[in-house]
Amino acid sequence: MPDHFRHSPDRDWQHRASCRGTDTNLFFSPDGERGHDRARRERAATQICQDCPVLAQCRAHALTATEAYGIWGGMSENERTRHTRRTRVPARHRDATHAPAPHHHRSPCSCT
């Protein structure tokens, strides 16, 4: 782990993680791993995450930092990608919610 991570106060949660001291190979896929082997490894990793006291911080970090690899916060790479796609606000919806309301030059009541 690089020095700047070790002393960063916003990463103190990592010292309390259930995975601390665990072989990182359990959380990161080796080249070419697929199918049942990958599923088995990911299940074992997420099992450790299940009761982790810092699960929420780990997951938030992974989603915010867009961690591309590994199990973080009990989520696999694919689960994080799906979560991000599901929760991302489409640009046209985001633009519509921030667009100023149209100005009408007529009175809202047609009887005047």
Side-chain angles (χ1 to χ4, degrees):
M1 185 179 302
D3 252 1
H4 62 278
F5 290 143
R6 198 181 345 240
H7 301 295
S8 177
D10 61 330
R11 299 255 182 150
D12 281 345
W13 57 266
Q14 290 182 335
H15 297 286
R16 298 186 319 274
S18 295
C19 62
R20 183 114 175 124
T22 304
D23 183 2
T24 57
N25 289 329
L26 184 61
F27 295 88
F28 294 91
S29 175
D31 288 340
E33 181 188 54
R34 293 195 178 24
H36 295 297
D37 291 337
R38 184 177 186 128
R40 189 177 318 115
R41 182 192 49 74
E42 287 182 347
R43 270 194 308 276
T46 56
Q47 197 81 27
I48 292 171
C49 298
Q50 238 174 6
D51 297 319
C52 183
V54 295
L55 175 78
Q57 292 98 320
C58 184
R59 183 173 290 174
H61 162 77
L63 294 170
T64 303
T66 59
E67 289 288 353
Y69 302 104
I71 302 292
W72 288 83
M75 295 176 86
S76 69
E77 300 150 14
N78 292 334
E79 290 169 329
R80 287 192 305 278
T81 300
R82 281 193 302 270
H83 172 75
T84 301
R85 284 184 186 145
R86 258 194 333 266
T87 59
R88 186 176 23 207
V89 177
R92 66 178 176 269
H93 183 263
R94 185 175 53 243
D95 293 344
T97 60
H98 295 301
H103 296 286
H104 297 285
H105 297 290
R106 284 189 265 158
S107 168
C109 176
S110 61
C111 59
T112 57

